[in-house]
Amino acid sequence: MRHLLFATLCFCSLGVFAGQRYYVAPESRGDGSGLSWDDASDRLYSIIEDAQPGDIIYVAQGRYYGGFTVKNGVTVLGGYTVGDDAPESRVLPEENTDRGSILDGCNKYRVITQTSALDTPAIFDGFVIENGSATSGAGALIMDGCTLKNCLVRNCASGLPAVGEYIDKAKGVVIGADKTSNTIDVVSTTFASKLCQYERAQYFAGNANTPGNARWRIPTAEDMRAMLSYPANEIIGSALKTNGCKDFGTSKIWTATETESAGLEGRYVADLRTGELMPMNRWQYCRVLPAGSYTESVGRTVGGGIKASGKATISNCTVTGNKATLGSGIHARNGVYIYNTTVHGNVSDNQLNTDDSVIIEEETGINGINADSSISPIAGNIVAAGSDIEITSPGFTSYAIHSVSGQLIDAGSIGENGAVTAPQARGMYMLSLSDSNRTSTVKIIVK
């Protein structure tokens, strides 16, 4: 009886803690609920958002557009074939191919975003992460509790905000960005008026009492189509919630695009309840949700491929072809773990003519990495003024020390003692170590 009771308790425990399995494919199948391969969903963002700690999401091979969130305790596994979730059947990413499950940021979304530390570990395993765009961490922004495993992170660029990012100074949520002009398009988080006809809508939009430096206007139909499309609508809604703003509700709002309704001059109206555009004549009454534009001065960007902090883990990944000022491949700080990860071919715009594919802050603890550019070529990032900086990676023949603004402080050959003399002045510097085949740049703090 005691053994039977123990077995029963174990079975009940499994029932309580076993998570739900979800299934995602590029095209929806059956009822699209995601509860089986036969009913696979094509909405990966929504499935992740609805998942609970302990749930596992199986993602079939194919391309999935948009940005995706890290959800507390949720495991997302890529590389499967529809109908087969056997681990040995998975197809994992390979460089220079489109094999496996691809998460595509469309050059307007950050591909993977984590907004806070996790109580229960979350995993993204077996994905190509590409074409991400964000202020930092364009491919993935991860922190405590998240693991990226067996992923290929490529062709992402930090710089302008991603669609769905909340911009405090403009008091709006990003709905688009133009990298050629550094222009950001946002939608206000508050309505400018109650119901009004189109002429009054123009007045209210242009004189919106919304804080910030954006130039406000009535959104176009193109603005609204972009905002209401999947997954932008879900991402923007999540940004509103995260930043303590109300959702946009179910109103009908004016757009600036001309049309006709029943033979009368009119404008399109966006129905926030259904996500559709419909024609209405200019004398009918709708609400105003202003859109704004402003020019951003892009400063130092970090983490073109991945920006990681806290106890995040990067394991068995390849990071290549990404762009940022510092850490064009990976920017890591505060105890990130990196295992068996290759980082190469990333592009820095720090104007130092160096490869800084991996940048670590002084307090970062790296457990291990296999990379073209060594993660830790020196014994420690914090050094005393005028002391020797011990070089632990063999083979480097020359060095250069720059200020963080790019000014050359010192340069020369590395002597037989394998050390470089630290600057006499306290501060933060960039130390570049080179040989005929490679250059590695790390940050040093002189105290």
Side-chain angles (χ1 to χ4, degrees):
M1 176 64 72
R2 182 171 58 187
H3 295 296
L4 178 60
L5 177 61
F6 177 77
T8 303
L9 288 173
C10 288
F11 178 79
C12 291
S13 297
L14 288 172
V16 171
F17 295 106
Q20 173 68 53
R21 292 187 172 199
Y22 291 99
Y23 300 86
V24 178
E27 295 184 3
S28 179
R29 297 164 62 89
D31 64 14
S33 64
L35 296 177
S36 68
W37 282 124
D38 289 338
D39 293 316
S41 172
D42 61 351
R43 297 201 161 204
L44 178 56
Y45 183 94
S46 299
I47 291 292
I48 294 173
E49 284 294 292
D50 292 340
Q52 300 299 315
D55 291 351
I56 300 176
I57 302 170
Y58 296 90
V59 182
Q61 298 177 61
R63 191 174 292 271
Y64 302 85
Y65 297 99
F68 306 93
T69 56
V70 175
K71 191 73 180 291
N72 189 47
V74 175
T75 296
V76 189
L77 303 175
Y80 290 93
T81 300
V82 172
D84 184 358
D85 54 18
E88 60 272 17
S89 301
R90 295 176 71 191
V91 174
L92 297 180
E94 293 182 3
E95 280 197 74
N96 304 315
T97 74
D98 286 338
R99 289 164 52 90
S101 301
I102 302 172
L103 307 182
D104 189 337
C106 305
N107 295 309
K108 64 180 181 178
Y109 302 101
R110 176 187 288 118
V111 184
I112 294 176
T113 301
Q114 182 178 349
T115 58
S116 62
L118 305 177
D119 297 324
T120 307
I123 299 172
F124 272 80
D125 181 346
F127 291 96
V128 176
I129 298 169
E130 68 179 17
N131 302 329
S133 178
T135 50
S136 61
L141 175 67
I142 58 174
M143 55 192 77
D144 289 55
C146 182
T147 293
L148 288 185
K149 184 177 181 182
N150 298 317
C151 289
L152 170 61
V153 184
R154 65 187 182 191
N155 303 331
C156 301
S158 292
L160 296 183
V163 169
E165 284 193 52
Y166 176 78
I167 306 298
D168 185 66
K169 67 180 180 181
K171 302 303 179 187
V173 178
V174 176
I175 58 176
D178 183 351
K179 292 187 177 183
T180 60
S181 61
N182 290 346
T183 300
I184 316 299
D185 294 324
V186 296
V187 63
S188 172
T189 58
T190 57
F191 288 96
S193 73
K194 296 182 179 180
L195 296 176
C196 59
Q197 294 177 336
Y198 183 74
E199 280 70 17
R200 293 293 288 170
Q202 287 181 298
Y203 172 81
F204 285 128
N207 295 275
N209 292 320
T210 305
N213 62 353
R215 302 175 297 278
W216 295 101
R217 55 183 168 78
I218 296 178
T220 65
E222 288 70 26
D223 288 333
M224 297 311 303
R225 286 191 183 97
M227 174 181 151
L228 295 174
S229 64
Y230 172 84
N233 190 39
E234 286 81 354
I235 294 172
I236 290 170
S238 177
L240 293 173
K241 181 179 178 181
T242 299
N243 289 280
C245 304
K246 294 181 180 179
D247 64 36
F248 292 138
T250 59
S251 299
K252 295 177 181 177
I253 64 172
W254 286 110
T255 82
T257 305
E258 296 181 358
T259 183
E260 288 188 356
S261 178
L264 299 174
E265 179 187 353
R267 298 292 188 277
Y268 281 106
V269 167
D271 188 332
L272 298 180
R273 180 179 59 85
T274 64
E276 299 175 328
L277 294 179
M278 60 185 66
M280 293 187 71
N281 71 61
R282 60 194 297 176
W283 296 282
Q284 292 179 279
Y285 289 82
C286 291
R287 299 189 73 182
V288 183
L289 183 64
S293 299
Y294 72 98
T295 301
E296 180 70 278
S297 177
V298 179
R300 189 188 78 163
T301 62
V302 299
I306 302 171
K307 182 181 180 183
S309 61
K311 297 301 186 290
T313 298
I314 303 167
S315 176
N316 298 302
C317 293
T318 297
V319 184
T320 183
N322 305 287
K323 297 180 181 179
T325 307
L326 294 175
S328 50
I330 299 174
H331 187 279
R333 65 188 305 268
N334 293 346
V336 174
Y337 293 97
I338 305 179
Y339 301 93
N340 301 322
T341 290
T342 298
V343 185
H344 72 95
N346 300 283
V347 179
S348 171
D349 60 2
N350 63 12
Q351 299 179 345
L352 300 182
N353 193 29
T354 61
D355 174 11
D356 69 347
S357 285
V358 181
I359 286 291
I360 60 171
E361 300 287 359
E362 66 276 8
E363 62 268 40
T364 301
I366 301 298
N367 188 284
I369 186 170
N370 298 324
D372 285 3
S373 179
S374 175
I375 188 66
S376 185
I378 60 177
N381 296 85
I382 301 177
V383 297
S387 66
D388 282 345
I389 303 171
E390 181 184 355
I391 301 171
T392 56
S393 295
F396 289 112
T397 57
S398 61
Y399 73 92
I401 298 176
H402 293 81
S403 70
V404 291
S405 64
Q407 180 182 359
L408 180 64
I409 304 299
D410 188 20
S413 299
I414 297 174
E416 293 181 359
N417 64 345
V420 172
T421 302
Q424 293 290 340
R426 297 173 60 186
M428 183 182 298
Y429 300 87
M430 302 300 294
L431 169 63
S432 299
L433 304 172
S434 302
D435 60 24
S436 58
N437 298 314
R438 57 178 176 156
T439 301
S440 180
T441 302
V442 293
K443 184 183 296 182
I444 59 173
I445 306 297
V446 176
K447 291 189 175 181

